[in-house]
Amino acid sequence: MFKKVKIGGFPLFFTLISMMLAVLAVGMKYGYPELSWAGLHQLLFYNGGTELERISVFEVRLPRIVVGAIAGAMLGLCGVLLQDGLRNSLAGPELLGVSSGASFVMALITVLHVPVSYELQPWFALLGGFIGGGIVILAAGGRHGSIHFILIGAAVTAIMNGLVVWIITMGTSNSTSLLFTFLMGSLANRNWSHVANLAPWALVTIPLALCFVRSLNVLRLGNETAEGVGLNVGRIRVCLLIVSCAMTAAVVSQCGPIGYIALIAPHLVRSVMQEYNAKTVLPFSALMGAILLSGADILARTVFMPREVPVGLWTTLIGGPILIGLFARKMGGRPEQ
């Protein structure tokens, strides 16, 4: 299980693009009403299909896929920045308190009906992400071993989740029901307005993340070597945390806290690459994250149709075993980096 297969850069890029196009096609085909492949072809290229089919594809399914792809890409990049920047293979927004901090702020806004416009919510989620992630980083005291981050991150996450539960008890039945769905992580009822709210954050943070290629490659050589070539390690890690928090906060504000995508996407990419280079790991992890989240959302809305299971549960159920398998293989083969 999880046998390592090495793939070069271009074949891997072609494979990931093909998978993304397949997810896009399947996502537009399945749902209610379900289309045949010929019917989908007619609808897309010849303006065919009924009015219901056109609305279902272009106003319901396609926005969900786009939101999932953008959010997944941002989470995939976030995973690379945190794992390679902190030299910790378990680093991720879920284990660093970033997601729980952003969720706490969103819970306050939802349950207490704080008058915050929809466009400003990501900024408030960003504040919560900084609080949660900052506590973990500061409490770790410069130690970047996995055990420190796991223990401290778990503690901070537990505290934040406890505060969320306390907030829920203060809300009405309507607000708590809405908040429960949000906290599971969901792309239900996402439309083009959600795409418009998420896209500006992606257009800013994704290029910023790609600017850290050289820094990530140097950081993997160790702190002393990185400082020896003139890299300000402390400053770079602060910048990595800021960009990671911004991406996570934007995703949480639009989709809720979605786990395991940021953790798994970089590991899946690294496990099939012939050699490490952040120049390829970053964009490939973004593609992998987009595929994982968009694919999981298709399962969320079709497996038990007409009932829908929040996509966050699917990413947990699928991502957990994959992560266990990846680390079981890694720990059996070589020491942790």
Side-chain angles (χ1 to χ4, degrees):
M1 187 177 183
F2 300 108
K3 183 179 179 181
K4 182 175 287 189
V5 178
K6 293 296 186 181
I7 303 176
F10 181 77
L12 180 57
F13 174 75
F14 179 79
T15 300
L16 291 175
I17 289 294
S18 300
M19 292 173 64
M20 189 67 243
L21 292 175
V23 168
L24 177 63
V26 171
M28 289 190 293
K29 178 183 186 298
Y30 289 100
Y32 177 81
E34 182 176 336
L35 283 74
S36 65
W37 288 113
L40 179 62
H41 180 266
Q42 288 289 327
L43 187 148
L44 292 177
F45 298 103
Y46 299 101
N47 197 28
T50 65
E51 184 67 19
L52 177 60
E53 290 173 340
R54 287 193 292 271
I55 292 175
S56 178
V57 170
F58 293 118
E59 301 298 330
V60 178
R61 302 177 197 176
L62 190 56
R64 288 185 64 152
I65 299 171
V66 174
V67 170
I70 296 175
M74 294 171 74
L75 291 174
L77 286 171
C78 180
V80 179
L81 296 184
L82 293 175
Q83 291 168 16
D84 293 348
L86 298 175
R87 298 182 62 211
N88 186 305
S89 56
L90 290 179
E94 305 91 341
L95 299 181
L96 289 180
V98 177
S99 292
S100 58
S103 300
F104 169 68
V105 173
M106 292 302 297
L108 279 174
I109 294 174
T110 301
V111 173
L112 301 183
H113 303 290
V114 179
V116 177
S117 66
Y118 201 69
E119 292 76 13
L120 292 179
Q121 287 181 7
W123 292 98
F124 285 85
L126 178 61
L127 175 62
F130 277 137
I131 293 174
I135 292 173
V136 174
I137 298 297
L138 291 175
R143 298 182 297 271
H144 303 297
S146 295
I147 187 63
H148 298 99
F149 280 102
I150 292 174
L151 294 177
I152 298 172
V156 172
T157 300
I159 293 172
M160 292 292 183
N161 290 339
L163 291 173
V164 170
V165 173
W166 172 66
I167 293 171
I168 290 176
T169 62
M170 299 172 61
T172 63
S173 59
N174 290 334
S175 61
T176 54
S177 176
L178 178 63
L179 180 60
F180 177 78
T181 301
F182 170 83
L183 292 175
M184 291 294 100
S186 176
L187 299 182
N189 302 319
R190 297 309 184 264
N191 52 46
W192 292 114
S193 65
H194 294 86
V195 176
N197 288 328
L198 189 59
W201 289 80
L203 291 174
V204 173
T205 57
I206 289 178
L208 284 176
L210 297 176
C211 289
F212 289 104
V213 167
R214 178 183 175 275
S215 299
L216 292 176
N217 284 331
V218 174
L219 282 172
R220 286 179 62 86
L221 302 176
N223 291 349
E224 293 183 359
T225 302
E227 292 174 350
V229 298
L231 190 69
N232 190 321
V233 175
R235 183 181 301 171
I236 286 295
R237 285 187 169 137
V238 170
C239 293
L240 291 171
L241 179 62
I242 291 173
V243 176
S244 299
C245 283
M247 289 192 288
T248 302
V251 172
V252 170
S253 68
Q254 303 300 312
C255 311
I258 298 176
Y260 286 97
I261 299 296
L263 275 171
I264 291 173
H267 286 290
L268 290 176
V269 171
R270 294 192 203 100
S271 67
V272 298
M273 289 191 63
Q274 292 180 344
E275 61 182 11
Y276 180 90
N277 188 337
K279 185 177 180 179
T280 51
V281 171
L282 278 167
F284 288 174
S285 295
L287 277 172
M288 182 65 76
I291 293 167
L292 291 175
L293 184 51
S294 300
D297 185 54
I298 294 174
L299 295 177
R301 62 183 174 83
T302 59
V303 171
F304 298 105
M305 196 168 58
R307 298 183 64 87
E308 180 171 328
V309 178
V311 68
L313 293 181
W314 281 105
T315 60
T316 300
L317 293 174
I318 297 173
I322 292 177
L323 189 65
I324 291 172
L326 288 170
F327 278 99
R329 185 192 66 193
K330 179 177 180 179
M331 297 304 292
R334 67 180 188 274
E336 183 182 358
Q337 296 178 351

